[in-house]
Amino acid sequence: MNPLTVRLYAATIATAKIGTGFFFLINTWLIIDITGRPSSAAITLVMTILPSLLLSPIIGLAVDRGWPARLAYRAELLRWLVLIAYGALYGTGHATEGIGYAVSFLIALGNEIQVLSWRAALIRAVPSDQMLRLNALTSVGGQSGQILGAAASGIVLAAIGPVATVTLASTTYLAAALLGFLVSRRLASQDPPRDGLERGPRRHLRDLRAGLGHIAQRPEIAFFYGLILANLTVIFSINGMLAPFVREELNLGAEAFGKIDAGYAAGAIASGLLIARLAKRFGQRRILLLGFTAMATSLIAFANCQSLAAAFVTYVGLGISFQTSVLALSLAQQATDPAFQGRVNATFNMLNGLAGLIIYAIVALSAGHHLYRQLYLAQACIVLAIVPILLVAGRRGRIGRLLTPSTPSPTLAQELPAS
């Protein structure tokens, strides 16, 4: 991972996220136009969760047994082809409601493959205890690309029409695939495990069980992925509640919604540029504690805000605290043997997808009841409860050692008996 490879990787992630920013706005517009029902937009949101919920174990196994960098850029080619077909079908009047939902599913599937693949490819390229900078770079590149795509999509849609906008979104995925191919070529020395060539249902099941066994043998993995899950529940809830909160509680319009949402991205980008240095200077335990405290404080402030300015500032605070997820991911990767990265990550992605469905169901059931402020406060209480858990767990056992950068993480050979 020399500097040129790192820059190519950052460009790959940012370009793909520009396409994602374009796609989700235009797809919401198209699906409502196709069905004539605003509720169909919520169904497309559910479809984006299903790949992680249903297919993560299979994807994780493929990642661990293959060439993850190749899978990553091929996933972008999949998304390019899907959007090319979608644009052609819509332009000729043959796009149906089912096709719209299927496209949402396939685009999210490509994203799931891409995320899991790049994480495994990077962990093979650098020592796991140096992954924080690359994970922060992924976060910054992703947030930058997504906000650029989302900001430009409305203007582009109005200027050139839906079919051309879908074509433009597909082109960004093609560009991301080409950049990913270059990164893959530079990581060509990453060979899959020798036994990865063996096939058969029994072998697949045995490998999946081995991944679960690895998690059971290292409980610190579940601890750090639990921190990621706590962070994601906040992201799911603010994504689901922001639009109705702005409209029903703050009595503001779509422009205010866009500005507040941009505040989150600005905070996430700023903290992503600093997280590695801050963790090195002040320690990972302190940064996690400060991050979750800032998250809870921002949620409480947002629940009580009455103006656009206050909402924007608190959303910047939520974006800053987002980097607790990046730090927790780096620690989870450090606790996981490289041979199990795909399966372990995929296992917890299933839980994340289930949590997303539950959160979106709660938000949907609360619609029209003006419970958004209470839900934000409830989330703040859950986040605050994590702080004492971090204080206690961070001083004991392998979790404490992983939170101390100067202490090397134990290897698989050191922890597990010889087979």
Side-chain angles (χ1 to χ4, degrees):
M1 290 296 292
N2 59 41
L4 178 57
T5 306
V6 171
R7 286 194 289 270
L8 284 172
Y9 169 71
T12 301
I13 297 299
T15 304
K17 286 298 183 180
I18 290 174
T20 300
F22 268 104
F23 168 73
F24 280 107
L25 183 139
I26 184 61
N27 191 51
T28 301
W29 190 91
L30 291 182
I31 198 67
I32 293 175
D33 181 62
I34 291 170
T35 64
R37 301 191 311 272
S39 60
S40 59
I43 300 177
T44 63
L45 197 60
V46 172
M47 296 300 293
T48 62
I49 298 176
L50 291 182
S52 62
L53 193 60
L54 301 177
L55 300 176
S56 276
I58 299 173
I59 298 170
L61 184 58
V63 167
D64 283 341
R65 296 177 64 178
W67 290 268
R70 291 185 185 179
L71 283 175
Y73 79 75
R74 288 172 180 174
E76 305 295 17
L77 289 175
L78 168 67
R79 297 204 278 187
W80 169 59
L81 292 172
V82 167
L83 286 192
I84 286 291
Y86 190 33
L89 288 171
Y90 183 83
T92 57
H94 292 90
T96 64
E97 180 178 3
I99 289 174
Y101 296 149
V103 168
S104 297
F105 178 89
L106 291 172
I107 295 298
L109 174 62
N111 182 72
E112 185 77 3
I113 296 172
Q114 181 239 53
V115 169
L116 293 177
S117 297
W118 279 129
R119 287 178 181 176
L122 295 181
I123 204 70
R124 293 185 191 181
V126 300
S128 59
D129 56 359
Q130 297 179 19
M131 277 296 297
L132 178 56
R133 289 188 178 184
L134 284 175
N135 287 332
L137 177 67
T138 302
S139 173
V140 170
Q143 288 288 336
S144 301
Q146 184 122 3
I147 193 172
L148 179 60
S153 56
I155 300 173
V156 173
L157 175 61
I160 63 177
V163 175
T165 305
V166 171
T167 304
L168 181 60
S170 70
T171 303
T172 62
Y173 286 132
L174 177 60
L178 293 175
L179 290 169
F181 171 75
L182 295 177
V183 176
S184 176
R185 290 288 299 272
R186 300 179 74 86
L187 301 178
S189 61
Q190 294 185 350
D191 294 325
R194 289 183 179 180
D195 60 359
L197 299 177
E198 185 179 339
R199 294 291 183 266
R202 291 184 179 179
R203 180 53 193 268
H204 294 330
L205 292 174
R206 191 159 58 245
D207 284 351
L208 289 173
R209 287 196 298 269
L212 295 175
H214 186 68
I215 296 171
Q217 290 170 330
R218 298 187 177 190
E220 62 271 25
I221 295 175
F223 177 81
F224 289 119
Y225 274 109
L227 297 182
I228 297 171
L229 177 59
N231 197 305
L232 285 176
T233 59
V234 174
I235 294 174
F236 288 139
S237 65
I238 64 177
N239 283 346
M241 291 191 292
L242 179 59
F245 182 86
V246 170
R247 185 178 64 251
E248 298 174 20
E249 301 293 335
L250 298 182
N251 297 313
L252 298 173
E255 183 180 353
F257 167 79
K259 290 178 179 178
I260 295 170
D261 195 45
Y264 178 91
I269 292 170
S271 59
L273 294 172
L274 298 174
I275 183 68
R277 294 181 181 179
L278 293 174
K280 183 177 181 180
R281 180 172 181 178
F282 299 106
Q284 294 165 330
R285 183 188 294 108
R286 286 183 181 177
I287 296 302
L288 283 174
L289 289 170
L290 287 172
F292 278 101
T293 302
M295 189 186 304
T297 303
S298 298
L299 284 168
I300 293 171
F302 191 77
N304 291 282
C305 70
Q306 302 291 338
S307 66
L308 170 60
F312 178 83
V313 171
T314 53
Y315 241 61
V316 171
L318 285 171
I320 291 172
S321 66
F322 169 76
Q323 297 304 332
T324 55
S325 180
V326 174
L327 181 51
L329 173 62
S330 302
L331 292 165
Q333 290 171 324
Q334 192 173 343
T336 306
D337 189 89
F340 293 91
Q341 291 288 339
R343 280 165 284 179
V344 167
N345 205 334
T347 298
F348 289 100
N349 269 17
M350 288 181 62
L351 296 178
N352 297 340
L354 180 60
L357 284 178
I358 294 172
I359 293 294
Y360 288 144
I362 293 173
V363 172
L365 291 173
S366 64
H369 296 287
H370 297 278
L371 297 174
Y372 303 115
R373 295 186 188 273
Q374 290 85 340
L375 290 174
Y376 282 122
L377 289 173
Q379 283 246 264
C381 292
I382 294 172
V383 172
L384 277 177
I386 296 173
V387 174
I389 295 174
L390 262 173
L391 282 170
V392 174
R395 299 180 184 276
R396 297 181 180 179
R398 290 179 289 192
I399 293 174
R401 296 203 302 272
L402 285 165
L403 286 171
T404 305
S406 60
T407 304
S409 59
T411 63
L412 183 65
Q414 291 172 329
E415 290 195 13
L416 302 182
S419 57

